[in-house]
Amino acid sequence: MELLLMASLQRRKIKGKYYWYIVESKRINGKPVPIVVEYLGTTDSVIARLTKDSAGSMSCRTYLHGSVFAFWNTALKYNIPGIIDDILPGRKRFGLTRGELIVIDSIHKFLCNTENMDISSWLSTTTLPFILNIKPGLFNNESLSKALSNISPESIYSIEKSLYNNFQSALKPKVTNEEFIYGNLFKFITIPQNAKSSNKTGLSDIKNMEHIKQYSISVLMPRNYQIPFFSAVRKYPFEAETSSSDSDFTAFSEKLYKYKNITILFDSTSVNNDITEIIRKSNHKIICSVPLTSLEDMAYIPLKNYKPASLHNALYYYHQAEKMISGYKCNIIIYYNQKEHNKQIKKLNREIEGKIEKLEDLRNKLLTPDPGFSLKRSKIEKEVELILNDYPFNKIINVALTGKQKIKDIQCSINMKIYDEIITYFYGKRVLITNNIDWSPEEVLDAYLSQTKISKYFKNRKKHWRIDPLKNPPWNLHSLRLHIFTCLLGIIISELLKIDIKEKGMDLASETIVNILSNIYQTILVTDSDANNNNKKSEISLINEMSESEKLLWDKVLEALDMK
């Protein structure tokens, strides 16, 4: 197979006709310039060249190339498959080692955006089978799970330690082994379909709460890179499901408490005793996010008093103050983001419309009551309370009931004064409490946003992972541990790629890199030769025409991977 990594296939329209060229991007005076390597002619000419001196058939198909090529070769650059194979030796499955299988699984989970798309189906849309010389139809999600089913949590932790040690020497500046950030990210909930009383997914529809399985996901990141190198999964409440699973978290805890400089990140619903207990009992620092309503006085600080900070490819504004929290000196950092502000207003307006519709439905029932529908004031007040049962709707929406003992009508209106106050002073903002007075506000905010990024990744991707305990094998602490590891490995590879591209002079967010690379495709033309040529296949692979931004990034990717 001939793979022209630097070339692309371009179509140009000349006097109403299309002509094809093989074009290579070269830098002249520091700028990328397309250089025609070969003129292929019209479409008919290209087909004729491919089928020349051959009685066989020809096929042509376009595959996703940019992102999978960059992720796979980044994994190879840092020897991730090899490190995994050193800890998990064994015979190959589907022509691949265990390390290669795990890396492919992690790339699939990170890049596949199609819900319920099997790994085999996804692979068939990419150039990975050509790069690895494998047949994607040989394995699917179930067979992949079986191939990796006997990997113990202890082995996963050993892999994490080996990867971490490798990255310590490979990355520049070196990965710190002095300061870590610990995040207890979220609870992962699994619900069997037969435990539901309907097709709905809400917890209120569960027939028996005992069917719910909850797991706590934790990660440990070095401060200077904030990449989730270490992770653990525990059943929630924290009860050991098996001895092996318990030892997994024990190993994680040993790593957590080995170092003194640990900053614990978590969210709290209010400034409560939990925060002060963690500060009092632990030698570690904390960064805790609380709702702005917990420290309402800070909401009214004018935005003109905030300072700007560009973090995670977004613009934030923050204000810092010192407060004593239960006798402990803490820094309070309130931050604001315009994009988040607009998103929250949009969500609020949508939810207000929904509440108004429900009140209108209730009004229609009052005006044309069905037999048996109660008009009693206590009953209607209860209905209204259920509709406006949470903040800020019980403040924003005013409801007037007509009638004393029996309600005849309902009128509702929006309190624009309260509405404006909420969206002006409370939306787009969040408060962080920390006893880590050595870090600047920018460093505190950067650390918190790093774990938020990982949490959002899990939240956005869960629907694509088909977490169903009834699948074979069933989801339990053991299988979920491997699943979380492969998911985090995809994040690690994406961050390593981002770091390498930044070293070459292009600073982009991981999401931006993936989005651009996901638009780079490769066309593969295959000709089956006749018997006189021993039934050989002739393959020509050409990268499709790229936009200017795609060319610039692709150039940096090849440079970062030492392929230029």
Side-chain angles (χ1 to χ4, degrees):
M1 177 177 177
E2 183 184 1
L3 186 62
L4 303 178
L5 298 176
M6 294 295 293
S8 64
L9 185 65
Q10 289 190 5
R11 185 182 68 170
R12 298 179 182 178
K13 190 175 184 180
I14 304 174
K15 293 182 179 181
K17 292 186 178 181
Y18 290 105
Y19 298 88
W20 296 87
Y21 300 82
I22 297 177
V23 179
E24 189 176 53
S25 179
K26 292 187 177 180
R27 284 194 171 271
I28 299 177
N29 296 327
K31 296 183 178 180
V33 177
I35 305 296
V36 176
V37 177
E38 188 171 353
Y39 168 68
L40 300 178
T42 63
T43 302
D44 291 338
S45 300
V46 174
I47 295 174
R49 290 183 60 168
L50 290 170
T51 58
K52 184 179 179 181
D53 300 326
S54 172
S57 61
M58 184 195 72
S59 63
C60 174
R61 188 175 173 184
T62 300
Y63 300 87
L64 173 64
H65 179 65
S67 54
V68 295
F69 175 89
F71 270 59
W72 175 253
N73 283 284
T74 298
L76 292 183
K77 177 181 177 179
Y78 289 93
N79 193 31
I80 294 176
I83 291 172
I84 296 174
D85 288 333
D86 288 341
I87 296 170
L88 301 174
R91 65 183 181 87
K92 290 186 175 182
R93 298 286 186 94
F94 322 114
L96 299 167
T97 66
R98 276 181 161 184
E100 291 169 335
L101 282 172
I102 288 175
V103 170
I104 291 173
D105 188 29
S106 68
I107 294 174
H108 164 241
K109 287 171 179 173
F110 193 90
L111 295 179
C112 180
N113 291 317
T114 305
E115 188 173 356
N116 295 336
M117 192 174 196
D118 188 272
I119 187 171
S120 177
S121 301
W122 176 79
L123 278 174
S124 65
T125 67
T126 75
T127 55
L128 270 180
F130 295 92
I131 295 172
L132 300 172
N133 194 26
I134 60 172
K135 295 181 179 180
L138 290 179
F139 61 96
N140 53 30
N141 286 358
E142 184 176 335
S143 58
L144 179 64
S145 297
K146 288 182 178 179
L148 304 177
S149 60
N150 61 343
I151 299 176
S152 67
E154 292 90 344
S155 296
I156 296 173
Y157 184 69
S158 297
I159 293 170
E160 290 176 333
K161 287 196 294 185
S162 296
L163 289 174
Y164 175 73
N165 292 334
N166 178 58
F167 297 142
Q168 271 191 307
S169 57
L171 293 175
K172 295 179 182 180
K174 288 187 175 181
V175 179
T176 178
N177 61 356
E178 296 176 350
E179 288 187 292
F180 284 88
I181 298 169
Y182 166 76
N184 192 23
L185 293 181
F186 59 90
K187 296 179 183 66
F188 199 101
I189 301 175
T190 64
I191 307 168
Q193 289 295 327
N194 62 359
K196 299 177 183 179
S197 57
S198 67
N199 292 327
K200 298 180 180 180
T201 58
L203 293 181
S204 60
D205 296 291
I206 307 302
K207 291 183 291 187
N208 189 340
M209 296 299 285
E210 293 179 358
H211 289 292
I212 297 177
K213 290 186 177 181
Q214 297 186 69
Y215 302 92
S216 174
I217 315 294
S218 304
V219 298
L220 191 62
M221 306 173 286
R223 179 190 172 191
N224 63 335
Y225 280 101
Q226 298 177 9
I227 300 175
F229 288 127
F230 299 94
S231 61
V233 179
R234 293 195 77 189
K235 192 174 181 182
Y236 187 87
F238 298 137
E239 299 173 356
E241 188 169 298
T242 64
S243 57
S244 61
S245 65
D246 197 32
S247 63
D248 168 51
F249 196 85
T250 300
F252 181 82
S253 299
E254 288 175 358
K255 186 69 178 179
L256 174 61
Y257 293 106
K258 180 179 179 180
Y259 301 104
K260 294 182 179 179
N261 295 328
I262 298 288
T263 298
I264 302 173
L265 279 67
F266 63 99
D267 295 332
S268 179
T269 55
S270 63
V271 182
N272 52 33
N273 291 332
D274 292 341
I275 298 175
T276 54
E277 280 297 297
I278 292 175
I279 296 175
R280 186 176 64 83
K281 291 184 178 179
S282 173
N283 294 322
H284 302 311
K285 304 297 184 181
I286 69 157
I287 299 175
C288 174
S289 170
V290 297
L292 189 53
T293 50
S294 298
L295 296 166
E296 193 169 318
D297 58 313
M298 296 196 69
Y300 298 95
I301 298 173
L303 281 176
K304 65 181 182 180
N305 294 348
Y306 286 45
K307 295 180 179 179
S310 183
L311 299 167
H312 297 264
N313 297 94
L315 182 61
Y316 294 87
Y317 295 88
Y318 70 88
H319 180 79
Q320 179 187 14
E322 287 187 359
K323 284 184 179 290
M324 298 298 293
I325 306 284
S326 298
Y328 294 94
K329 182 180 178 181
C330 293
N331 277 341
I332 311 297
I333 299 165
I334 179 172
Y335 70 90
Y336 169 84
N337 177 258
Q338 181 68 56
K339 184 178 180 181
E340 188 65 26
H341 189 188
N342 295 338
K343 188 188 301 183
Q344 288 179 339
I345 292 175
K346 186 177 180 180
K347 180 182 178 183
L348 175 65
N349 292 339
R350 186 172 62 248
E351 291 179 339
I352 288 176
E353 289 179 4
K355 301 290 185 182
I356 296 296
E357 287 180 4
K358 289 183 179 180
L359 290 171
E360 286 295 326
D361 290 341
L362 181 59
R363 181 172 185 263
N364 291 333
K365 290 180 180 180
L366 289 172
L367 298 178
T368 56
D370 292 331
F373 182 78
S374 176
L375 301 176
K376 288 183 179 180
R377 171 174 281 272
S378 59
K379 173 67 176 178
I380 303 304
E381 286 178 343
K382 186 66 175 177
E383 291 284 340
V384 172
E385 184 181 346
L386 289 173
I387 295 173
L388 307 177
N389 61 345
D390 51 358
Y391 178 86
F393 308 107
N394 50 11
K395 301 289 186 181
I396 293 175
I397 302 176
N398 294 330
V399 176
L401 303 180
T402 303
K404 293 184 178 180
Q405 297 300 323
K406 292 185 178 181
I407 303 301
K408 300 176 181 179
D409 197 3
I410 293 178
Q411 297 293 331
C412 60
S413 61
I414 304 298
N415 189 323
M416 292 305 301
K417 182 180 179 180
I418 294 179
Y419 174 88
D420 290 338
E421 181 182 7
I422 289 173
I423 66 171
T424 301
Y425 295 106
F426 289 86
Y427 273 31
K429 299 176 182 178
R430 196 159 185 86
V431 177
L432 302 178
I433 299 174
T434 180
N435 62 340
N436 193 339
I437 58 177
D438 296 329
W439 286 11
S440 69
E442 292 93 337
E443 290 173 318
V444 172
L445 183 54
D446 182 43
Y448 180 77
L449 292 174
S450 68
Q451 77 136 15
T452 302
K453 177 181 175 181
I454 299 173
S455 296
K456 286 183 177 179
Y457 165 74
F458 275 98
K459 181 180 179 180
N460 294 336
R461 304 296 299 181
K462 277 197 290 186
K463 67 178 182 179
H464 300 311
W465 293 334
R466 299 194 295 181
I467 305 302
D468 187 346
L470 300 181
K471 293 290 181 183
N472 186 20
W475 285 99
N476 52 36
L477 199 60
H478 184 98
S479 58
L480 188 57
R481 174 68 173 103
L482 177 61
H483 171 73
I484 295 300
F485 168 71
T486 55
C487 295
L488 290 173
L489 185 58
I491 297 177
I492 291 172
I493 295 172
S494 73
E495 290 298 315
L496 293 174
L497 177 61
K498 172 189 171 182
I499 292 168
D500 289 346
I501 292 174
K502 184 177 180 180
E503 286 183 355
K504 301 304 177 183
M506 184 175 283
D507 188 7
L508 297 174
S510 299
E511 297 86 351
T512 303
I513 293 172
V514 171
N515 289 338
I516 295 175
L517 291 179
S518 295
N519 289 320
I520 297 177
Y521 288 81
Q522 188 175 67
T523 299
I524 298 179
L525 304 99
V526 181
T527 302
D528 293 322
S529 303
D530 58 18
N532 295 329
N533 288 320
N534 300 319
N535 292 321
K536 292 183 178 179
K537 284 188 176 182
S538 173
E539 295 181 5
I540 298 179
S541 303
L542 295 168
I543 296 175
N544 293 10
E545 185 175 3
M546 292 182 281
S547 66
E548 189 62 32
S549 61
E550 291 164 359
K551 289 177 184 176
L552 288 172
L553 179 56
W554 186 244
D555 194 42
K556 293 298 181 183
V557 167
L558 296 179
E559 190 178 349
L561 296 173
D562 300 322
M563 293 183 173
K564 192 174 177 182

